[in-house]
């Protein structure tokens, strides 16, 4: 059942005003290179196409390479898809992109994937919201942390990723939310660690609600803070490129400080069209600290090469 496998292609090619995209982040072992590739489809009346979007986290350079929809193929059972001559799956990517704005060839293999846990009433990171109808956008996570092996030739330069770390997430629906904040990092001082936070203004049935999802994966255990498990955002502020967030759940408090750095412009969906521009940094720094409600520090670690998006209108709700 596809609902319990959100990393698998969820749509069909006859949908109207629909998008689906996967975000695959790669950080080299020395952390000097951060490349994210976003394969996907956009289905609108006058411009149905597949695409591969790219961002260089260090330079902020981006590219959007379009393909005919006929160049998109997929598996119904696994995260396994092709766009043009490039192949994307949970075991790795094989890239062959040749366009005026971007030329990439090579293969990266993925191993030791840490999957987000699935349960009967919670098929993924959205929890029971996965079953709620009429939502404009849904979200899934393919791997919170995995190892990389291989080399890419990017615009004529070889880049070694062996020993580095990867991450996979995805979105599908008609539109991204009006406004949101998104953070991700799995390159911490603690190697067996991954963190993701997002909060968004979510339209639903003529109104809206503020929803958040956040987890700290640490040494085999997930600490979840989300709207659907009665966690609260007790503080959120953004000033001088610094985001501070505090979340609380029963006996735990999670504090996050993230500093936004160089950003690039990516395309995002609006009623299926990929014509909304957003700024994303994949070179931000952050610090994550976990406490019990008595104030005792359970974990604290600094991370770098973090992904960060802030659509600032979201700040008016806090």
């Amino acid at each position: 059942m596809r609902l319990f496998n959100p990393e698998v292609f969820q749509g069909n090619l006859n949908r109207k005003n629909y998008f689906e995209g996967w975000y695959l982040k790669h950080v080299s072992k020395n952390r000097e290179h951060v490349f994210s590739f976003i394969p996907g489809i956009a289905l609108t009346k006058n411009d149905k196409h597949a695409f591969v979007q790219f961002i260089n986290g260090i330079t902020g350079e981006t590219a959007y390479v379009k393909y005919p929809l006929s160049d998109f193929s997929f598996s119904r059972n696994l995260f396994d898809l092709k766009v043009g001559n490039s192949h994307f799956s949970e075991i790795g990517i094989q890239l062959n992109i040749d366009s005026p704005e971007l030329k990439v060839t090579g293969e990266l293999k993925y191993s030791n994937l840490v999957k987000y846990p699935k349960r009967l009433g919670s098929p993924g990171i959205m929890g029971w919201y996965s079953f709620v109808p009429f939502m404009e956008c849904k979200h899934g996570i393919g791997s919170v942390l995995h190892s990389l092996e291989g080399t890419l030739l990017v615009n004529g330069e070889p880049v070694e990723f062996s020993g580095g770390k990867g991450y996979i997430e995805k979105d599908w629906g008609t539109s991204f939310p009006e406004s949101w904040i998104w953070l991700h990092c799995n390159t911490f001082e603690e190697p067996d660690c991954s963190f993701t936070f997002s909060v968004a203004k979510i339209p639903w049935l003529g109104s809206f609600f503020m929803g958040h999802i956040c987890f700290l994966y640490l040494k085999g255990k997930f600490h979840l803070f989300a709207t659907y498990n009665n966690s609260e955002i007790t503080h959120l502020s953004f000033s001088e490129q610094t985001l501070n967030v505090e979340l609380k759940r029963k006996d735990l408090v999670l504090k996050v400080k993230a500093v936004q750095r160089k950003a690039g412009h990516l395309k995002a969906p609006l009623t299926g069209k990929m014509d909304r521009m957003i700024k994303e940094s994949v070179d931000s720094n952050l610090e994550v600290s976990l406490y019990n409600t008595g104030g005792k520090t359970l974990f604290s670690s600094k991370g770098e090469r973090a992904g960060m998006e802030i659509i600032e209108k979201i700040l008016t709700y806090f």
Side-chain angles (χ1 to χ4, degrees):
M1 186 177 179
R2 280 184 291 162
L3 180 64
F4 284 86
N5 294 284
E7 65 274 18
V8 173
F9 181 60
Q10 299 290 310
N12 65 69
L13 301 184
N14 297 315
R15 296 280 295 269
K16 295 180 179 179
N17 300 327
Y18 179 81
F19 80 93
E20 190 157 351
W22 293 255
Y23 181 92
L24 296 89
K25 179 185 175 187
H26 310 83
V27 183
S28 64
K29 183 178 180 180
N30 59 14
R31 302 186 184 178
E32 292 182 1
H33 302 280
V34 186
F35 293 161
S36 294
F37 296 93
I38 309 169
I41 58 166
L43 304 180
T44 59
K45 182 178 179 180
N46 298 318
D47 189 21
K48 293 183 178 182
H49 66 274
F51 61 84
V52 176
Q53 196 162 191
F54 164 80
I55 182 167
N56 181 328
I58 305 301
T59 67
E61 172 194 5
T62 62
Y64 186 91
V65 184
K66 292 177 67 172
Y67 295 86
L69 194 58
S70 58
D71 281 358
F72 177 80
S73 60
F74 59 91
S75 167
R76 281 293 186 194
N77 303 311
L78 302 168
F79 165 46
D80 191 299
L81 57 97
K82 292 182 179 179
V83 181
N85 294 317
S86 297
H87 185 196
F88 304 86
S89 77
E90 67 173 23
I91 63 171
I93 57 174
Q94 296 86 42
L95 300 179
N96 189 352
I97 302 170
D98 187 3
S99 71
E101 61 268 44
L102 180 67
K103 299 183 186 298
V104 184
T105 57
E107 178 179 7
L108 298 181
K109 295 180 179 178
Y110 302 162
S111 60
N112 304 314
L113 276 72
V114 177
K115 297 294 193 74
Y116 189 83
K118 301 174 185 179
R119 292 179 287 272
L120 184 60
S122 180
I125 186 61
M126 291 188 66
W128 58 262
Y129 279 107
S130 300
F131 303 100
V132 175
F134 310 118
M135 296 186 72
E136 283 190 341
C137 183
K138 293 193 174 182
H139 186 70
I141 292 181
S143 171
V144 306
L145 177 66
H146 54 265
S147 302
L148 305 177
E149 180 183 347
T151 304
L152 298 179
L153 188 66
V154 182
N155 294 328
E157 285 192 31
V159 181
E160 178 62 53
F161 279 94
S162 295
K165 293 184 177 181
Y167 172 77
I168 303 170
E169 67 171 41
K170 66 170 296 194
D171 296 280
W172 68 98
T174 57
S175 300
F176 271 11
E178 173 194 286
S179 55
W180 70 88
I181 294 171
W182 171 80
L183 285 172
H184 164 73
C185 185
N186 61 12
T187 41
F188 287 93
E189 298 162 321
E190 164 56 52
D192 193 17
C193 181
S194 183
F195 165 80
T196 292
F197 166 79
S198 67
V199 59
K201 177 186 176 184
I202 301 170
W204 192 63
L205 296 180
S207 185
F208 72 91
F209 65 94
M210 304 301 294
H212 67 273
I213 49 177
C214 175
F215 69 80
L216 173 66
Y217 166 80
L218 180 61
K219 298 180 179 179
K221 184 175 181 179
F222 284 86
H223 301 279
L224 177 66
F225 298 80
T227 304
Y228 56 80
N229 77 346
N230 297 317
S231 299
E232 295 181 89
I233 296 176
T234 52
H235 176 80
L236 190 151
S237 62
F238 181 65
S239 178
E240 297 181 350
Q241 304 304 111
T242 300
L243 176 72
N244 284 282
V245 184
E246 181 176 303
L247 302 104
K248 185 176 181 180
R249 187 203 77 194
K250 290 185 179 180
D251 58 338
L252 293 175
V253 175
L254 186 69
K255 293 185 179 181
V256 184
K257 179 180 179 181
V259 180
Q260 191 176 48
R261 300 182 66 187
K262 187 181 291 293
H265 287 86
L266 294 176
K267 292 189 177 185
L270 181 64
T271 61
K273 296 180 180 179
M274 298 293 291
D275 57 5
R276 180 182 181 185
M277 299 302 295
I278 63 169
K279 289 176 66 176
E280 176 176 312
S281 166
V282 199
D283 187 28
S284 295
N285 294 326
L286 56 75
E287 183 173 0
V288 175
S289 300
L290 185 68
Y291 305 87
N292 64 21
T293 49
K296 179 181 178 181
T297 302
L298 305 177
F299 172 75
S300 185
S301 186
K302 294 180 179 179
E304 59 182 2
R305 306 311 192 208
M308 186 174 184
E309 296 172 359
I310 299 181
I311 311 303
E312 293 190 17
K313 192 174 181 180
I314 192 76
L315 300 170
T316 63
Y317 298 97
F318 291 92

